């Protein structure tokens, strides 16, 4: 064997990667040896490969996904920097998520010592009503798992965030609070309370609404009326990782135009394996020049995503009429429906199988 080559053990020692890691990256097609002995199967690495091996070791320490490691190693102009920037954003967002979770944990620990502690918010009634309408459609149906049988009410500074999911779609909305008194809070409000709250807001006009959350108690007041309820004693699914998709295409379209296309476009019926429910499917296609059509794409021409047609109609109808932004990441990635004039309000729809 050429003495200029390093064995896998030497490469591991010189690069900071373990032998098992080198074997893994070789098997994944990310970083392979310069030569493999055909008789013994021993891997041998060239001296100039050490720089890439050390680079991988650093990227591994910060948890960069395998696909992005490949992009960095490929070294195409701009792609490596873009991959590094994207991963840094993910790490920063993950740290922000961890801070929020630990803040909630601290609040729960404080409640053990001081169970009468509460959080009170005042908000414009119309803004809260719009936030409720933007997520109510995505609540799990009657008889579903307790974790999705309601709407998550979560404070983030001076913002009240509402989140709902039935496991096939996710809806998020935000309302700016006028005042927030008390610690950060995250509670799962049952559907009955959410509907009672929406009824109060309907009669409040341009007035304000007040929400109070204490241990085991939800209360709302608006328009001279009140509603009360008890939080669902279950942990809402961790939704935050879903909020950071990396779309391939972003298409701006008028809501009325999309609704018209969905109404006129072809529809096929699909049966869901999980529960045997039949539902209509529409195909959204983005051509190579970025144009969106309802009805699918020709073979090999652009991107096609298939979604539950009724879910998409509800997601579009939950926002104010006007312009929409659709974010499509691929046939197996969630479809995001966003409203440019309401940055904190959007929906994610899980695609159906081709």
């Amino acid at each position: 064997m050429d003495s200029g080559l390093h064995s896998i053990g030497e490469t591991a020692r010189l690069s900071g990667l373990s032998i098992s890691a080198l074997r893994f990256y070789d098997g994944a097609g990310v970083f392979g040896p310069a030569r493999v002995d055909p008789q013994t199967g021993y891997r041998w690495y060239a001296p100039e490969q050490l720089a890439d091996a050390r680079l991988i070791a650093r990227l591994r320490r910060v948890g960069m996904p395998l696909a992005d490691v490949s992009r960095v190693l490929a070294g195409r102009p701009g792609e490596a920097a873009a991959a590094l920037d994207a991963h840094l954003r993910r790490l920063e967002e993950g740290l922000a998520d961890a801070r929020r979770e630990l803040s909630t944990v601290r609040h729960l620990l404080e409640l053990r010592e001081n169970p009468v502690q509460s959080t009170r918010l005042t908000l414009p009634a119309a803004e809260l009503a719009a936030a409720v309408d933007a997520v109510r459609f995505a609540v799990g149906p009657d008889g579903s798992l307790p974790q999705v049988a309601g709407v998550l009410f979560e404070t983030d500074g001076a913002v009240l965030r509402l989140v709902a999911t039935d496991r096939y779609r996710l809806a998020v909305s935000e309302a700016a609070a006028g005042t927030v008194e008390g610690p950060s809070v995250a509670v799962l409000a049952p559907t009955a309370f959410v509907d009672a709250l929406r009824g109060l807001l309907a009669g409040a006009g341009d007035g304000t609404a007040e929400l109070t959350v204490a241990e085991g108690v939800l209360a709302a007041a608006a328009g001279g009326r009140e509603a009360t309820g008890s939080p669902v004693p279950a942990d809402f699914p961790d939704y935050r990782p879903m909020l950071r998709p990396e779309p391939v295409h972003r298409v701006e379209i008028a809501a009325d135009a999309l609704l018209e296309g969905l109404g006129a476009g072809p529809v096929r019926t699909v049966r869901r394996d999980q529960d045997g429910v039949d539902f209509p499917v529409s195909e959204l296609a983005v051509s190579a020049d970025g144009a969106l059509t309802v009805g699918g794409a020709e073979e090999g021409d652009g991107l096609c995503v298939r979604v539950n047609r009724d879910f998409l109609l509800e997601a579009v109808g939950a926002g104010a009429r006007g312009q929409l932004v659709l974010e499509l990441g691929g046939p197996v990635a969630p479809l995001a429906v966003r409203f440019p004039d309401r940055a904190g309000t959007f929906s994610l729809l899980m695609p159906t199988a081709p």
Side-chain angles (χ1 to χ4, degrees), residues 192-206:
F193 175 80
V194 174
D195 291 341
L197 169 63
R198 186 61 182 88
L200 297 183
L201 299 173
D206 295 330

Side-chain angles (χ1 to χ4, degrees), residues 253-275:
I253 185 173
D256 288 342
L258 179 57
L259 292 173
E260 182 179 351
L262 290 172
V267 177
R268 65 186 180 93
T269 301
V270 172
R271 173 157 296 184
R272 194 159 54 210
D273 293 337
Q274 294 91 328
D275 51 18

Side-chain angles (χ1 to χ4, degrees), residues 176-247:
T179 62
V180 180
E181 300 175 3
S184 297
V185 63
V187 296
L188 183 55
T191 306
F193 175 80
V194 174
D195 291 341
L197 169 63
R198 186 61 182 88
L200 297 183
L201 299 173
D206 295 330
T208 59
E210 183 177 282
L211 284 176
T212 302
V213 180
E215 185 180 18
V217 177
L218 288 165
R225 296 186 297 160
E226 297 182 352
T228 59
S230 299
V232 178
D235 289 333
F236 192 78
D238 183 11
Y239 68 94
R240 291 192 183 93
M242 293 291 295
L243 304 188
R244 296 186 281 273
E246 297 182 359

Side-chain angles (χ1 to χ4, degrees), residues 273-288:
D273 293 337
Q274 294 91 328
D275 51 18
V277 172
D278 293 332
F279 61 91
V281 170
S282 290
E283 297 182 353
L284 302 180
V286 180
S287 64

Side-chain angles (χ1 to χ4, degrees), residues 135 138-140 144-153 163-165 188-192 194 232 236:
V135 302
V139 173
S144 58
L145 295 173
Q147 294 90 334
V148 299
V151 174
L152 177 68
F153 281 59
V163 190
T165 182
L188 183 55
T191 306
V194 174
V232 178
F236 192 78

Side-chain angles (χ1 to χ4, degrees), residues 90-346:
R90 285 193 293 267
L91 292 176
E92 291 170 341
E93 290 164 349
L95 180 59
D97 291 346
R99 286 195 177 107
R100 281 189 289 267
E101 289 296 336
L102 290 176
S103 176
T104 300
V105 169
R106 288 192 181 96
H107 171 54
L108 294 173
L109 293 175
E110 290 169 358
L111 285 178
R112 289 183 179 180
E113 301 176 0
N114 184 15
V116 298
Q117 196 171 29
S118 65
T119 298
R120 180 177 301 170
L121 306 91
T122 59
L123 310 95
E127 186 171 347
L128 181 54
V132 171
D133 292 341
V135 302
R136 175 62 179 85
F137 71 94
V139 173
D142 292 342
S144 58
L145 295 173
Q147 294 90 334
V148 299
V151 174
L152 177 68
F153 281 59
E154 180 180 64
T155 58
D156 185 0
V159 172
L160 174 66
R161 182 177 298 114
L162 278 62
V163 190
T165 182
D166 61 2
R167 296 179 297 161
Y168 304 106
R169 51 188 168 171
L170 176 78
V172 181
S173 64
E174 292 182 351
T179 62
V180 180
E181 300 175 3
S184 297
V185 63
V187 296
L188 183 55
T191 306
F193 175 80
V194 174
D195 291 341
L197 169 63
R198 186 61 182 88
L200 297 183
L201 299 173
D206 295 330
T208 59
E210 183 177 282
L211 284 176
T212 302
V213 180
E215 185 180 18
V217 177
L218 288 165
R225 296 186 297 160
E226 297 182 352
T228 59
S230 299
V232 178
D235 289 333
F236 192 78
D238 183 11
Y239 68 94
R240 291 192 183 93
M242 293 291 295
L243 304 188
R244 296 186 281 273
E246 297 182 359
V248 175
H249 294 285
R250 299 182 81 254
V251 180
E252 188 167 338
I253 185 173
D256 288 342
L258 179 57
L259 292 173
E260 182 179 351
L262 290 172
V267 177
R268 65 186 180 93
T269 301
V270 172
R271 173 157 296 184
R272 194 159 54 210
D273 293 337
Q274 294 91 328
D275 51 18
V277 172
D278 293 332
F279 61 91
V281 170
S282 290
E283 297 182 353
L284 302 180
V286 180
S287 64
D289 60 1
L292 178 75
T293 59
V294 179
E298 296 297 330
E299 187 72 23
D301 181 28
L303 170 71
C304 183
V305 177
R306 298 169 177 85
V307 294
N308 184 313
R309 177 178 176 272
D310 291 343
F311 284 2
L312 182 53
L313 288 172
E314 289 181 326
V316 174
R321 288 296 177 90
Q323 290 297 106
L324 305 173
V325 173
L326 301 183
E327 294 181 349
L328 302 91
V332 297
L335 168 70
V337 181
R338 300 186 183 275
F339 305 91
D341 58 340
R342 299 170 64 189
T345 298
F346 57 92

